[in-house]
Amino acid sequence: MKNSLFFGDNLDVLRESIASESVDLIYLDPPFNSARDYIILFSSPKGQSSEAQITAFEDSWHWAEQAEREFGEIVRCGNTQVSEIVQALRRFLGENDMMAYLTMMANRLLELHRVLKPTGSLYLHCDQTASHYLKIVLDGVFGNKQFGSEIIWQRHNSHNDAKNKYGAVTDTIFYYTKTNATILNAPRVALDQSYIEKFYRHKDEDGRLYRLDNMASPNPRPNMMYEWLGYDYPKKGWRYERTTMQKLHDEGRIYYPKDKSKRLALKRYLDENEGQIVSNLWTDVQALTFAAAEAMGYPTQKPLALLERIITASSNTGDTVLDPFCGCGTAVH
């Protein structure tokens, strides 16, 4: 299956060609033409119809025979949570384009959960149009305890084109895991210069910058209450045993204040810092402009750096990565 490109309805491909528990990572950026008019997705079949972003997906965006058929499949599926959720959503939303979209997504998410390995994870990329509904569907498919993070990606800077609302400059990426044994190589970014200047204020004789860290135990540890080279132990004892303290001393990693009434501190060197672990707010990955070298003119093209972060974080070399909607092709690339 690796290095394969399938053509057709991804629901059929998933059912016919993708084996259960064969995929390590799933990234999906479903086609959704929300940039035109959010309210249009709530129109009834008899009202104003939405224009599909891609013609091939047009039938999936209206409540018609296909949506009714897929809805019936979900109601009868073995996942009772998803069955109850989509029935409740239909009672709330009615039979409109939004409900057709959620039905299409729920059916495919059930298959995506099936093909994912126990160590695998899924990233669903969406925007504010349906993110709140998709979160409920994902909780039903994966279980709310397998919700990992709601990543907010700032794709644009502030702009002044919004009327009667706040400008939309972010996308949402939902991160879910199949089990608690998932792969996560926590991505890191370089420390901010202002952070370095604020905390790494000390310098060794060889010029290495370092910050001071606490050496006291957070909890009472009677066996760690010992004097060290004339310095009394903290109230709850040291964080380290004597052998470790000796090793840190020999390596020159302990800061000894001249005033022995003051606390010892551990030296944390800047050149040994691997960087800050990335949070769920991603502001350092810039959206593509039409002038960017990798830009191909596709309006919702995602930058390579965004997919590199996700793939590096949640898969290893040789793993199988699946993009069930192909998006703009960035994940495939």
Side-chain angles (χ1 to χ4, degrees):
M1 187 187 70
K2 292 185 178 181
N3 300 321
S4 299
L5 184 64
F6 295 91
F7 176 78
D9 187 329
N10 56 9
L11 184 60
D12 295 334
V13 173
L14 285 165
R15 289 173 173 173
E16 298 169 6
S17 303
I18 312 297
S20 298
E21 298 188 352
S22 63
V23 174
D24 296 281
L25 169 63
I26 296 171
Y27 169 82
L28 61 157
D29 182 14
F32 205 66
N33 198 19
S34 56
R36 301 203 178 192
D37 192 343
Y38 297 144
I39 202 69
I40 210 169
L41 289 165
F42 294 93
S43 63
S44 67
K46 296 179 181 179
Q48 186 179 13
S49 61
S50 63
E51 296 179 22
Q53 185 173 358
I54 302 174
T55 303
F57 287 90
E58 186 172 6
D59 290 340
S60 299
W61 291 45
H62 304 287
W63 191 268
E65 182 180 352
Q66 179 182 349
E68 191 70 63
R69 182 177 68 255
E70 291 198 23
F71 179 83
E73 292 177 358
I74 297 171
V75 170
R76 295 186 297 272
C77 77
N79 189 320
T80 56
Q81 283 189 316
V82 177
S83 175
E84 292 173 0
I85 286 170
V86 295
Q87 290 180 77
L89 285 170
R90 182 173 181 177
R91 287 192 294 270
F92 174 65
L93 294 171
E95 298 171 355
N96 53 32
D97 296 345
M98 176 60 81
M99 189 61 217
Y101 174 76
L102 294 172
T103 300
M104 179 270 289
M105 286 301 301
N107 221 1
R108 284 149 183 79
L109 285 169
L110 286 167
E111 290 298 320
L112 293 173
H113 182 269
R114 176 186 62 80
V115 305
L116 200 61
K117 291 181 181 179
T119 54
S121 55
L122 175 142
Y123 291 76
L124 192 157
H125 196 140
C126 56
D127 66 11
Q128 62 186 335
T129 312
S131 60
H132 43 304
Y133 298 127
L134 287 170
K135 172 68 167 62
I136 296 172
V137 173
L138 284 164
D139 281 349
V141 173
F142 283 83
N144 53 15
K145 291 184 178 180
Q146 297 311 130
F147 166 67
S149 299
E150 180 182 6
I151 300 166
I152 303 300
W153 173 44
Q154 182 178 329
R155 55 185 170 82
H156 294 298
N157 294 322
S158 299
H159 47 70
N160 299 317
D161 61 346
K163 296 180 180 179
N164 302 319
K165 63 176 182 178
Y166 296 100
V169 298
T170 64
D171 277 359
T172 296
I173 303 174
F174 289 120
Y175 166 65
Y176 279 77
T177 61
K178 184 84 173 270
T179 68
N180 292 330
T182 190
I183 297 169
L184 182 61
N185 310 307
R188 294 175 179 268
V189 292
L191 297 176
D192 187 76
Q193 186 59 36
S194 61
Y195 179 89
I196 295 174
E197 294 173 356
K198 181 178 180 180
F199 292 100
Y200 288 88
R201 296 179 287 107
H202 305 276
K203 185 183 294 187
D204 265 351
E205 293 180 357
D206 58 2
R208 295 177 73 191
L209 294 175
Y210 65 89
R211 65 178 178 87
L212 300 179
D213 199 1
N214 190 7
M215 297 185 72
S217 173
N219 302 305
R221 304 178 72 182
N223 61 325
M224 301 292 191
M225 296 178 180
Y226 56 85
E227 184 184 274
W228 181 258
L229 301 182
Y231 292 84
D232 197 11
Y233 57 82
K235 183 177 180 180
K236 296 181 180 180
W238 299 109
R239 186 183 293 267
Y240 308 103
E241 298 178 349
R242 286 181 181 271
T243 54
T244 304
M245 288 285 280
Q246 186 63 55
K247 184 175 183 294
L248 293 171
H249 171 79
D250 295 342
E251 294 176 351
R253 292 179 176 272
I254 299 178
Y255 171 78
Y256 293 94
K258 293 180 180 179
D259 184 353
K260 291 198 173 184
S261 65
K262 294 184 178 181
R263 295 279 185 88
L264 298 182
L266 182 68
K267 296 180 181 180
R268 299 282 190 186
Y269 288 100
L270 175 61
D271 57 16
E272 295 177 344
N273 192 304
E274 296 179 353
Q276 185 175 357
I277 294 178
V278 172
S279 70
N280 71 328
L281 177 61
W282 294 2
T283 60
D284 59 319
V285 179
Q286 300 298 313
L288 295 177
T289 63
F290 285 106
E294 64 188 81
M296 302 183 69
Y298 192 71
T300 60
Q301 181 182 349
K302 303 303 184 293
L304 287 171
L306 183 71
L307 272 300
E308 285 173 354
R309 171 170 293 177
I310 291 171
I311 293 172
T312 302
S314 291
S315 68
N316 296 317
T317 302
D319 284 353
T320 299
V321 180
L322 171 65
D323 181 353
F325 285 90
C326 286
C328 56
T330 307
V332 178
H333 170 70

